[in-house]
Amino acid sequence: MAITGVLRAAMMQLRVLDLETSVDFYTKVVGLFEVGRTSDGRVLLKGYDEFDHHSLALRGAEAAGMDFMGFKVASDAYLDYLTGRTKEFGFPTEDIPANSDQPGVGRRVSVRTSTGHRIDFFADIEGSDPKPSILNPEIWTVEPRGIGAAAFDHALLFGPGAAETVRYFMEVCGFAPVEKGLLPDGNAFVTWLSCASRTHDVAILEFEHPGKLHHVAYKLDNWNDIGHAADIMTMNEVTVDAGPMRQGATRGQMIYFFDPSGNRLEACAGGYAYYPDMPVRVWDFDHIGKGAFYYSRRLNDNFLKIVS
Amino acid sequence: MAITGVLRAAMMQLRVLDLETSVDFYTKVVGLFEVGRTSDGRVLLKGYDEFDHHSLALRGAEAAGMDFMGFKVASDAYLDYLTGRTKEFGFPTEDIPANSDQPGVGRRVSVRTSTGHRIDFFADIEGSDPKPSILNPEIWTVEPRGIGAAAFDHALLFGPGAAETVRYFMEVCGFAPVEKGLLPDGNAFVTWLSCASRTHDVAILEFEHPGKLHHVAYKLDNWNDIGHAADIMTMNEVTVDAGPMRQGATRGQMIYFFDPSGNRLEACAGGYAYYPDMPVRVWDFDHIGKGAFYYSRRLNDNFLKIVS
Amino acid sequence: MAITGVLRAAMMQLRVLDLETSVDFYTKVVGLFEVGRTSDGRVLLKGYDEFDHHSLALRGAEAAGMDFMGFKVASDAYLDYLTGRTKEFGFPTEDIPANSDQPGVGRRVSVRTSTGHRIDFFADIEGSDPKPSILNPEIWTVEPRGIGAAAFDHALLFGPGAAETVRYFMEVCGFAPVEKGLLPDGNAFVTWLSCASRTHDVAILEFEHPGKLHHVAYKLDNWNDIGHAADIMTMNEVTVDAGPMRQGATRGQMIYFFDPSGNRLEACAGGYAYYPDMPVRVWDFDHIGKGAFYYSRRLNDNFLKIVS
Amino acid sequence: MAITGVLRAAMMQLRVLDLETSVDFYTKVVGLFEVGRTSDGRVLLKGYDEFDHHSLALRGAEAAGMDFMGFKVASDAYLDYLTGRTKEFGFPTEDIPANSDQPGVGRRVSVRTSTGHRIDFFADIEGSDPKPSILNPEIWTVEPRGIGAAAFDHALLFGPGAAETVRYFMEVCGFAPVEKGLLPDGNAFVTWLSCASRTHDVAILEFEHPGKLHHVAYKLDNWNDIGHAADIMTMNEVTVDAGPMRQGATRGQMIYFFDPSGNRLEACAGGYAYYPDMPVRVWDFDHIGKGAFYYSRRLNDNFLKIVS
């Protein structure tokens, strides 16, 4: 296959304050489907267009935020490769057995980055319904609902030592730096990283506090869906952070909003298809507002402050 | 990089009856940009969202059709790998020196498939304007015009021995079979093949006559652009073959139309992003109409008959 | 009020073969809401964006077709005016008491046109739910479903003596001829008629057989909704007659499809807003295909043949 | 005709600081077409979908703002009716001869409202190119450019004595109050007024200073066009005030931006079609933010402060 190594951002475990309120929100508003619960009470969800067992796990907790972000890789052998290379790189790794805290998921290599995030890699995961049909397939098997999130797309992570974590994703995991936002001194403070053709599977931004989540993004089809999502959010009294708009970086169209616990989410569409022969696109410090919010061309007050 | 080997469908050389009429059509209606002419009179064009020097070469000729289709690969070394593996596979190959008939293009490995098509692979190609800007980039540097074709996307090729050519793309070039259309006996007569994340970079359909072109597809952004393209085609008296519609296979939205010489073109948008862990989607013989034309659910008279 | 006299096309009573199958179709696929049933078994429906009690009545019968089309007028006094003027014009009229066969509807003036259609006019009609809210209104009160038909929009009627019926709508009812399709001799064989700002509330086409229905149209918001409607139709195995497309006449975008009894329906969007100071737009005989189907520029085989 | 009396908002004369910069902006960004200049140097413009001679006059001046807003009425006789009724109502009127300061425009009745605005009514106006074709019409005769403004749609005027001016439009000119925004005491401080089927041809908001302009709106086709307009604005460094968004009131989708002189403009699409039998929709004081900005549900700082 021409896509090798790490395939895609594929999983997120989020902490939420009130679990049932959150399940309601993620199913009725975001439009994910509940596919299971763990014995310790976590709830597993997925988008209608995902084959994998689940892409989101919600865990009831005292404070919002992320427990870990997961990436699917092309083969079990690649996990061994990652373990070795990660140790050489110097980030701590841990082996997580199959079917432990994530039902349906094979063994994982779990890495702790300099930014304080836990990143899990896995090669095997069972399927679950709903998923796309493969014999004379209709465009979906279960009608999308709420804003109609099709699949988990990417996340933006905030933490210290971003440059080192970016270097890890590039040198060890084979990610490409697709776009960068620069400080006045010319160093990157935010990097969009792709492991295949998405403009980013993960982006990393330099931040004082470790392990922070800026947003988790779900895929919609187009700008019309972004407008529909905005309507659904108003009718459900969801707090919108910004949008509908286009982001300069990646050219994607989106809306940012908050789940009931204060985790920022994004519904995204559009953007170009990345190929590894593309040059890195760069936003200098004076244009970073435009890189984030292409229409207002300035960051709103919350955007760099509120994280979970 | 996680996308390795063959990167994407990247070039097409078409035969056209009247060259200047065709250049007019491809620039004003399709919206490509002329970036050069060769000493033997061929015209080189590209989409506004392509970095590469050109993705289309038009050659004046007595009959419409394609001379060759080109794929860009990740590295020069991969060309050597392809040469060796192609010889083992048994398809004839030829080395084409850099900057010969395709200005700006590095050395190519040219392969003749069982379906009678010439397929060229290259690793190096110069850039040209217009192309996306990379410093504080606007969404385009030159306003799209005509139907606004952003980039060459894929082609559907017709010829005998399709199964052997499909096997070549899979076993030698690392393409994945994304979707298949089956005969009553269960054998595939059409296969959609991807080298990265497109639902197809090339599709191959079993056909009596060798080396035939069914269509060349250009990328638009969304369904609204497909409707706009249809308007532009009517106002320019372009012959539309089918659409606007959705194709069941790939879920893409599109319109098929003809260039002034009778080469069928497609403007496409949407469709899912392919990953190599996805199962093959299959259209059985009774549903092939729906696989092609999701809305009418039957092929029109021309679709399997008119090729160039 | 600046819109006076006849306000809009507001009601249709259709004959359907199997009533419950039809109710299922009109509610789940078309997305109308059942608001009541009559003692003789007819089913009353409406779109989510209509204030009026109902806009569609379905009657079980041996053959498909329309019983009558209704128009809402601005005042009860206008009904008296219409009665008098209709008698002078020479079309038979009948008074229908309030709350007789149409629950919630005030007294009607019922007219028989030269084309063999029954046209009812009424000034008063009760409200029903769902309807738009009026205090801090959300964009809808009940989530649209199926193709999301918002409201009844217009109908195209076929019958003999079309010129006389067009003259009736213009001279007696104050309709404007918005667009016309001409025979080779320059006489109109189809006229689009508006009583306010729609490009047409009713269109009349000269036809051999009296009282025929070509299609009943429901309003969607835009071209994206037309595409969504097409997807929903395929997934529900609805027979599509033509589209998605644009109609040259009125510039509207649409898809034509059939209800389970063979009544042709249309989902429409777009088109310009008509004002009475606009000149009549004319399609000469050689361009009538383009006037109907702007993209294919030719009528399909069914379009002028299949009526109910 | 069923639309009688005042037909539509049809003209605006704006003051701009630098005339040529403004003409550039209104033609290249807004996409209007220059159709003439007056001997005193004013520039006349129109949208591509308007038959009338012009809908915008730009006058070079020391300060931005509006000179007058014009409405087209159904007949010359209606101008006499308006003159008489306006005098009875108590607003000063003035007769302006045909072809005086507005070339191509017939005689006008000019009224001074309590809010300090000059409102002109006229029945006759010549045509000009570009305009829609009427024989086998394409969807446009000149390709839309910039954001593609099709036609002048409405304006929001700020001034003292709003209630009296609203009463004038209703009682004398036959406008309907389509939506209202209420103060805590239940009195309207803003009223959307329609003379036909638009959700508003003019809206009036109570304000301390007389004769102020909040915004002039131009019509686009749909939400996709609003997004495209936002892209064009960024690429032309136009100051965006708010949007893309939906307005709760009227359900329209829009973006607010400023011309180079500081006049606020709007590109709008969507919204329902108004009929005079619709109830008035009301936004109470606690929901006025949502009535203005449906997605953020709060007014931005500039919205009630910046006027010209």
Side-chain angles (χ1 to χ4, degrees):
Chain A
M1 301 303 166
I3 300 181
T4 56
V6 184
L7 298 181
R8 66 177 168 273
M11 192 171 290
M12 181 63 74
Q13 183 163 303
L14 290 181
R15 294 187 301 271
V16 294
L17 304 184
D18 182 279
L19 192 62
E20 292 312 319
T21 299
S22 297
V23 170
D24 235 52
F25 175 82
Y26 279 93
T27 53
K28 293 185 185 157
V29 176
V30 182
L32 301 180
F33 292 83
E34 183 180 331
V35 292
R37 299 205 173 200
T38 63
S39 56
D40 64 348
R42 284 170 298 124
V43 181
L44 310 175
L45 302 113
K46 72 180 298 185
Y48 72 88
D49 205 26
E50 297 178 307
F51 286 96
D52 294 343
H53 185 267
H54 64 278
S55 60
L56 178 65
L58 297 178
R59 180 169 71 83
E62 297 290 302
M66 61 177 278
D67 284 339
F68 75 91
M69 179 177 181
F71 289 87
K72 190 173 185 186
V73 305
S75 67
D76 191 77
Y78 191 75
L79 292 179
D80 295 330
Y81 166 87
L82 269 183
T83 303
R85 292 282 291 114
T86 302
K87 284 177 180 164
E88 286 168 35
F89 188 86
F91 278 177
T93 75
E94 187 186 344
D95 289 327
I96 302 177
N99 289 304
S100 48
D101 64 296
Q102 299 296 323
V105 181
R107 74 171 177 114
R108 279 172 286 158
V109 175
S110 185
V111 177
R112 183 68 60 172
T113 65
S114 55
T115 50
H117 297 92
R118 180 181 140 200
I119 305 293
D120 286 9
F121 299 92
F122 59 91
D124 295 317
I125 183 166
E126 293 172 13
S128 71
D129 290 318
K131 61 176 178 293
S133 66
I134 59 173
L135 178 60
N136 308 317
E138 303 290 358
I139 58 167
W140 31 257
T141 56
V142 178
E143 185 155 10
R145 57 193 190 187
I147 70 167
F152 173 41
D153 191 77
H154 69 266
L156 171 55
L157 311 183
F158 276 32
E164 190 68 359
T165 292
V166 166
R167 198 166 66 82
Y168 171 76
F169 276 111
M170 289 171 60
E171 295 182 5
V172 175
C173 310
F175 283 55
V178 176
E179 304 209 12
K180 290 182 182 181
L182 303 186
L183 292 170
D185 65 10
N187 288 315
F189 73 96
V190 56
T191 307
W192 286 264
L193 292 159
S194 176
C195 54
S197 65
R198 295 179 189 170
T199 52
H200 53 314
D201 291 83
V202 65
I204 310 287
L205 190 141
E206 180 68 26
F207 194 65
E208 186 182 5
H209 305 293
K212 292 301 183 186
L213 172 67
H214 186 271
H215 69 261
V216 181
Y218 290 91
K219 190 77 177 171
L220 304 186
D221 197 42
N222 58 42
W223 174 242
N224 246 70
D225 293 340
I226 300 290
H228 176 255
D231 288 333
I232 294 292
M233 286 174 203
T234 288
M235 285 189 278
N236 285 279
E237 299 189 351
V238 175
T239 303
V240 169
D241 182 37
M245 60 166 173
R246 187 190 289 279
Q247 189 173 313
T250 80
R251 285 196 222 148
Q253 296 161 316
M254 75 255 303
I255 183 166
Y256 289 112
F257 57 108
F258 291 101
D259 82 359
S261 309
N263 292 302
R264 188 190 281 97
L265 303 178
E266 176 190 336
C268 65
Y272 53 86
Y274 178 73
Y275 282 94
D277 60 337
M278 282 184 178
V280 180
R281 300 176 205 211
V282 174
W283 297 88
D284 63 32
F285 192 72
D286 292 342
H287 292 82
I288 199 67
K290 185 172 169 180
F293 296 162
Y294 193 61
Y295 296 148
S296 65
R297 283 155 270 163
R298 57 174 188 274
L299 293 170
N300 68 15
D301 293 342
N302 296 333
F303 202 71
L304 290 184
K305 286 188 206 155
I306 298 184
V307 293
S308 64
Chain B
M1 300 303 165
I3 300 182
T4 56
V6 183
L7 298 181
R8 65 177 168 273
M11 193 170 290
M12 182 63 76
Q13 183 163 303
L14 290 181
R15 294 187 300 272
V16 295
L17 303 185
D18 181 280
L19 192 62
E20 293 311 319
T21 299
S22 297
V23 171
D24 236 53
F25 175 82
Y26 280 93
T27 54
K28 292 185 186 158
V29 176
V30 182
L32 300 180
F33 292 83
E34 182 180 332
V35 292
R37 300 207 171 199
T38 63
S39 56
D40 64 348
R42 285 168 298 124
V43 181
L44 310 175
L45 302 113
K46 71 181 297 185
Y48 71 88
D49 206 26
E50 297 178 307
F51 286 96
D52 293 344
H53 185 267
H54 65 277
S55 59
L56 178 65
L58 297 179
R59 180 169 71 84
E62 298 289 303
M66 61 178 277
D67 284 338
F68 75 92
M69 180 178 181
F71 290 88
K72 191 173 184 186
V73 306
S75 67
D76 191 77
Y78 191 75
L79 292 179
D80 294 331
Y81 166 86
L82 270 183
T83 302
R85 292 281 291 113
T86 302
K87 284 177 180 165
E88 285 167 35
F89 188 87
F91 279 177
T93 76
E94 186 186 346
D95 289 328
I96 302 177
N99 290 303
S100 48
D101 65 297
Q102 299 296 322
V105 181
R107 73 173 178 113
R108 279 173 285 158
V109 175
S110 185
V111 177
R112 184 66 61 171
T113 66
S114 55
T115 50
H117 297 92
R118 179 182 142 199
I119 306 293
D120 287 10
F121 299 92
F122 58 91
D124 295 316
I125 183 167
E126 293 173 12
S128 71
D129 289 317
K131 61 175 176 296
S133 65
I134 59 173
L135 177 61
N136 308 317
E138 304 290 358
I139 59 167
W140 32 255
T141 56
V142 178
E143 185 156 10
R145 58 194 189 186
I147 70 167
F152 172 40
D153 191 77
H154 69 265
L156 171 54
L157 311 184
F158 277 31
E164 190 69 358
T165 293
V166 167
R167 197 165 67 82
Y168 171 75
F169 275 112
M170 289 172 59
E171 295 182 6
V172 174
C173 310
F175 282 55
V178 176
E179 304 210 12
K180 289 182 183 181
L182 303 186
L183 292 169
D185 65 11
N187 288 314
F189 73 96
V190 57
T191 306
W192 287 264
L193 292 159
S194 177
C195 55
S197 65
R198 295 179 189 170
T199 52
H200 52 314
D201 290 84
V202 65
I204 310 286
L205 190 140
E206 180 68 26
F207 193 65
E208 185 182 4
H209 305 293
K212 291 301 182 185
L213 172 68
H214 186 272
H215 69 260
V216 180
Y218 291 91
K219 190 77 177 171
L220 304 186
D221 197 44
N222 58 42
W223 175 241
N224 246 70
D225 292 340
I226 300 290
H228 176 255
D231 288 333
I232 294 291
M233 285 173 204
T234 288
M235 284 189 277
N236 285 280
E237 299 188 350
V238 175
T239 303
V240 169
D241 181 37
M245 61 164 173
R246 188 190 289 280
Q247 189 172 311
T250 80
R251 285 196 221 146
Q253 296 161 315
M254 74 256 302
I255 182 167
Y256 289 112
F257 57 108
F258 291 102
D259 82 359
S261 309
N263 293 301
R264 189 190 279 97
L265 303 177
E266 176 190 337
C268 65
Y272 52 87
Y274 177 74
Y275 283 94
D277 60 337
M278 283 184 177
V280 180
R281 301 176 203 211
V282 173
W283 298 87
D284 63 32
F285 193 72
D286 292 342
H287 292 83
I288 199 68
K290 186 173 170 180
F293 297 162
Y294 194 60
Y295 297 148
S296 65
R297 282 155 270 163
R298 59 176 187 275
L299 293 170
N300 68 16
D301 293 340
N302 296 333
F303 202 69
L304 290 184
K305 286 188 206 154
I306 297 183
V307 293
S308 65
Chain C
M1 300 304 166
I3 300 181
T4 56
V6 183
L7 298 181
R8 66 177 168 270
M11 192 170 290
M12 182 63 74
Q13 182 163 302
L14 290 182
R15 294 187 301 270
V16 293
L17 303 185
D18 181 279
L19 192 62
E20 293 311 320
T21 299
S22 298
V23 171
D24 235 51
F25 175 82
Y26 280 93
T27 55
K28 293 184 186 159
V29 176
V30 183
L32 301 180
F33 292 83
E34 182 180 332
V35 292
R37 298 205 173 201
T38 61
S39 56
D40 63 349
R42 284 169 298 125
V43 181
L44 310 176
L45 302 112
K46 72 181 296 185
Y48 72 87
D49 206 27
E50 296 178 308
F51 286 96
D52 294 344
H53 185 267
H54 64 277
S55 59
L56 178 65
L58 297 179
R59 179 169 71 84
E62 297 289 301
M66 60 178 278
D67 284 338
F68 75 92
M69 180 178 182
F71 290 87
K72 190 172 185 187
V73 306
S75 67
D76 191 78
Y78 191 75
L79 292 179
D80 294 331
Y81 165 87
L82 269 183
T83 303
R85 290 283 291 113
T86 301
K87 284 177 180 165
E88 286 168 34
F89 187 86
F91 279 178
T93 77
E94 186 187 345
D95 289 328
I96 303 177
N99 290 303
S100 48
D101 65 296
Q102 300 296 323
V105 182
R107 73 172 177 114
R108 280 173 286 158
V109 175
S110 185
V111 176
R112 184 66 61 171
T113 65
S114 55
T115 51
H117 297 91
R118 179 182 141 199
I119 305 293
D120 285 11
F121 299 92
F122 58 91
D124 295 317
I125 182 167
E126 293 173 12
S128 71
D129 289 317
K131 62 176 176 292
S133 66
I134 59 173
L135 177 60
N136 308 317
E138 304 291 359
I139 58 167
W140 33 256
T141 56
V142 178
E143 184 155 9
R145 58 193 189 188
I147 70 168
F152 173 41
D153 192 77
H154 68 266
L156 170 55
L157 311 184
F158 276 32
E164 190 69 358
T165 293
V166 167
R167 197 165 67 83
Y168 171 74
F169 275 112
M170 289 172 59
E171 295 182 6
V172 174
C173 311
F175 283 55
V178 175
E179 304 210 12
K180 289 182 182 181
L182 304 185
L183 291 170
D185 65 10
N187 288 315
F189 73 96
V190 56
T191 306
W192 287 264
L193 292 159
S194 176
C195 55
S197 66
R198 295 178 189 170
T199 51
H200 52 314
D201 291 82
V202 65
I204 310 286
L205 191 141
E206 180 68 25
F207 194 65
E208 187 182 3
H209 306 291
K212 291 301 181 185
L213 172 68
H214 185 271
H215 69 260
V216 180
Y218 290 91
K219 190 76 177 172
L220 304 185
D221 197 42
N222 57 43
W223 176 241
N224 245 69
D225 293 341
I226 300 291
H228 176 255
D231 288 332
I232 294 292
M233 286 173 202
T234 288
M235 285 189 278
N236 285 279
E237 300 188 351
V238 175
T239 303
V240 169
D241 182 37
M245 61 164 175
R246 187 190 290 280
Q247 188 174 312
T250 78
R251 286 195 222 147
Q253 295 160 316
M254 74 256 302
I255 183 167
Y256 289 111
F257 57 109
F258 290 101
D259 82 358
S261 309
N263 293 302
R264 189 189 282 97
L265 303 178
E266 177 190 337
C268 65
Y272 52 86
Y274 178 73
Y275 283 94
D277 59 337
M278 282 184 177
V280 180
R281 300 176 205 211
V282 173
W283 298 88
D284 63 32
F285 192 72
D286 291 341
H287 292 83
I288 199 66
K290 185 172 169 181
F293 297 163
Y294 193 61
Y295 297 148
S296 66
R297 282 153 270 163
R298 58 174 187 274
L299 293 170
N300 67 16
D301 293 342
N302 296 332
F303 203 70
L304 290 184
K305 286 187 206 155
I306 299 184
V307 293
S308 65
Chain D
M1 301 305 164
I3 300 181
T4 56
V6 183
L7 297 181
R8 66 178 167 272
M11 193 170 288
M12 181 63 74
Q13 182 162 302
L14 290 181
R15 294 187 301 271
V16 294
L17 304 185
D18 182 279
L19 191 63
E20 292 312 319
T21 299
S22 298
V23 171
D24 235 52
F25 175 82
Y26 279 94
T27 54
K28 293 184 186 157
V29 176
V30 183
L32 301 179
F33 291 84
E34 183 179 331
V35 292
R37 299 206 171 199
T38 63
S39 55
D40 64 349
R42 285 169 298 124
V43 181
L44 309 175
L45 302 113
K46 72 180 297 184
Y48 72 86
D49 206 26
E50 297 178 307
F51 286 97
D52 294 344
H53 185 267
H54 64 277
S55 60
L56 177 66
L58 297 178
R59 178 169 72 84
E62 298 289 302
M66 61 178 278
D67 283 338
F68 75 92
M69 180 178 181
F71 289 87
K72 190 172 184 185
V73 306
S75 67
D76 192 78
Y78 191 74
L79 293 178
D80 295 331
Y81 165 86
L82 269 183
T83 302
R85 291 282 291 114
T86 301
K87 283 176 180 163
E88 285 168 35
F89 187 86
F91 278 178
T93 76
E94 186 187 345
D95 290 327
I96 301 178
N99 289 303
S100 48
D101 65 297
Q102 300 296 323
V105 182
R107 74 171 177 114
R108 279 173 287 158
V109 175
S110 185
V111 176
R112 183 66 61 170
T113 65
S114 56
T115 50
H117 297 91
R118 179 181 141 200
I119 305 294
D120 285 10
F121 299 92
F122 59 90
D124 295 317
I125 183 167
E126 293 173 12
S128 71
D129 289 317
K131 61 176 177 292
S133 66
I134 59 174
L135 178 60
N136 309 316
E138 304 290 357
I139 59 167
W140 33 255
T141 55
V142 178
E143 184 155 8
R145 58 194 188 185
I147 70 168
F152 172 41
D153 191 78
H154 69 266
L156 169 55
L157 311 183
F158 277 32
E164 189 69 359
T165 292
V166 167
R167 197 165 67 82
Y168 171 76
F169 275 111
M170 291 172 59
E171 294 182 7
V172 174
C173 311
F175 283 55
V178 176
E179 305 210 12
K180 288 182 183 181
L182 304 186
L183 292 169
D185 65 9
N187 288 315
F189 73 95
V190 56
T191 306
W192 286 264
L193 292 159
S194 177
C195 55
S197 65
R198 295 179 189 170
T199 51
H200 52 314
D201 291 83
V202 65
I204 310 285
L205 190 141
E206 180 68 25
F207 194 65
E208 186 182 4
H209 305 292
K212 291 300 181 185
L213 172 69
H214 186 272
H215 69 259
V216 181
Y218 290 91
K219 190 77 178 171
L220 304 186
D221 197 42
N222 59 43
W223 175 243
N224 245 68
D225 293 340
I226 300 291
H228 176 255
D231 288 332
I232 294 291
M233 286 173 203
T234 288
M235 285 188 278
N236 286 279
E237 299 188 351
V238 175
T239 303
V240 169
D241 182 37
M245 60 165 175
R246 187 190 289 280
Q247 189 173 312
T250 78
R251 285 195 222 149
Q253 296 161 316
M254 74 257 301
I255 182 167
Y256 289 110
F257 57 108
F258 291 101
D259 82 358
S261 309
N263 293 302
R264 189 189 281 96
L265 303 178
E266 176 190 337
C268 65
Y272 52 86
Y274 177 74
Y275 282 94
D277 59 338
M278 283 185 178
V280 180
R281 300 176 204 211
V282 174
W283 298 88
D284 63 33
F285 192 73
D286 292 341
H287 292 83
I288 199 67
K290 186 173 171 180
F293 296 162
Y294 193 61
Y295 297 148
S296 65
R297 283 154 270 162
R298 58 174 188 274
L299 293 170
N300 69 15
D301 293 342
N302 296 332
F303 202 70
L304 290 184
K305 286 188 205 153
I306 298 184
V307 293
S308 64

